[in-house]
Amino acid sequence: MNCLFSWSRIGAVMAKEFIQMRRDRLTFAMIIGIPIVQLTLFGYAINTDPKQLPTAAIVADHGPISRAILAGLEISDYFDFGAGTRTEAEARSMLARGEVSYVVTIPVNFERKLVRGEKPQILIEADATDPAATSNALGSINEIVRRAVANEAGGTLAELEPGGMPVDVVLHRLYNPEGITAYNIVPGLLGVILTMTTILMTALALTREVERGTIENLMAMPARPFEIMVGKIVPYIGFGFVQVGIILIAANILFSVPMEGSLTVLLTATVLFIAANVTLGYTISTLARSQMQAMQMTFFFFLPSILLSGFMFPFRGMPGWAQVIGEAIPLTHFLRIVRGVMLKGGGFADVAPNVWPLMVFWLAVGTIAMLRYRRTLD
Amino acid sequence: MSGEIIVDIKGLTKRFGDKTVVDNVDLTVNRGEIVGFLGPNGSGKTTTIRMICGLLRPDAGNGTCLGYDIRTESEKIKLEVGYMTQRFSFYEDLTIRENLDFVARLYALKPRAKFVDSTLNRLGLSNRQHQLAGTLSGGWKQRMALAACVMHEPQLLLLDEPTAGVDPKARREFWDEIHELTSEGLTVLVSTHYMDEAERCHRIVYIAYGKIIARGTVAEVIAASGLHTIVVRGGDTAALARKMKTLDGVEQVAPFGNDLHVVGLDPVLLEKEVRGAIAGSGATAAEDATSLEDVFIRLMTSSEDNFTSAGGRAS
């Protein structure tokens, strides 16, 4: 006679869930907010075919054809010569610091050799740490150069180039010549894994005290906010370092990712990065009222960290406003540091431009945490 | 009792939103006293205690605790006060010893191991010191919490319903310990719902809807209530109880097993009405001392009436 289940009881549980969901305003806001914010954010921001990558030029021949080639590159929309014309040393260090993605070199007597039909070389050096970011541009470069030369010198050179390439375009994929994706992804994962675990664990640290009621006791005893914050953060910094060790060893043994730069530089930057993350986690735990909320806030931060930092998609491919958001994310800077040190052999001076943003971030969230921490139960 | 004032607060007021939870409360506690803080649920006991030890900021009023300003010197107050929260709020995933060790570190007690050991011994926790706090029964949890609150040898102990959910034997032992501690000079402010515990206090303070409405020794509070009690024994208790409630001059009727406690303000009228009601029922009636519980029920009911008629919240 009896049914296996009762609709009325299912209805009762459903109604209760809805009521609880509605009472938990933050969860409710997340349910509505996550799709809207993240869809518009990432939908417009992510672009797997980055255009207008910053390029420096080393020009030793100022003839009209040279200019036509540079103009052709610029018109193709892949290259942006905003970095201007540089000396060789300047251009190299800009590439090493990641300020430009390409360096185009037009050698001495380029135009004369071209006219003589000697097939002069143009050198294009690309920062290939992220193979995806440069592959499209490099794939179309021969065609861009051929058209530029043909347009400019069509009349005079017509007989010299029967359909073939008048110029020899030499491509150097620096830092990752074979375009091995793992070289880019594995160092990146170091930052991603640290972001996720360290923020989440510290975010839960204080919220757990609130949820279990132990916070009342902690506050009734003579522990100051700063003491509690540092005491709660330091163990997780140590924990983060265990992860760093595991990932670096795996990067070396399993994926043969090179370690061009100094381990000291890398580890110093890593301390700062972990400190910034655990402090953010601590700040979250002063905002969240339950562990559930802390978890949601962590993921709300984690998603843009992955998508807008240059980990998954080329940073330079994003529109300007998205790059501004990306610059505010610690992972963005840490990724540049890790790739700079591991793949490009960068030293302290090379990573410095990405170290101070981490410090600013750290101080900012630390201040918020101190202000947010309540000395009383009000 | 030296008469030195340990807690001295005046006009203490706390509002949460538009609700006034503690309303213009004056309270003094002298050294060596055990003061019982009584009142119905939600009457403002916990909030008052939290303001005394600096966990909440008062909206109005001022006062001192151990000579320190409760508004500005909560850091100093915390060092010399032991506060036992209503809900067990130590770490369930730490052992008893680890919890005490943590507390000893926060108070910077030295030598730490000695403080922890002597506290464990004193409260009979040594045998269980390596047991996780989360696996303890209610009575042992309470004992551990007391140990953690007295280890730093505070001058004032604030206990917020310390014996809720604890069996009678453990409660008895707890109170023996409290009396032992006060004989050594500790001062105690304890909130409770239990009448037998209230009777163990030197002085009691009754609070309802955030206002103190009675204070003094137990005898003083009973006398001030002006209530008289007649105990009716035998007969059909349930039927008699229904009948008594309708009588003139009867304020409360409460069954205690086969007895009925009938309480009223006018002793002559009460006697006359009760005698009339039991005539022929086979029951006997005799005057008896009014219990503290009857006084509190009366206080609770009348303050509720006052509050409702004054246009306050209905809950």
Side-chain angles (χ1 to χ4, degrees), chain B residues 50-70:
Chain B
R50 283 176 174 173
M51 282 192 282
I52 293 172
C53 67
L55 281 181
L56 287 176
R57 228 176 279 279
D59 290 318
N62 51 57
T64 58
C65 177
L66 299 160
Y68 301 119
D69 191 317
I70 59 166

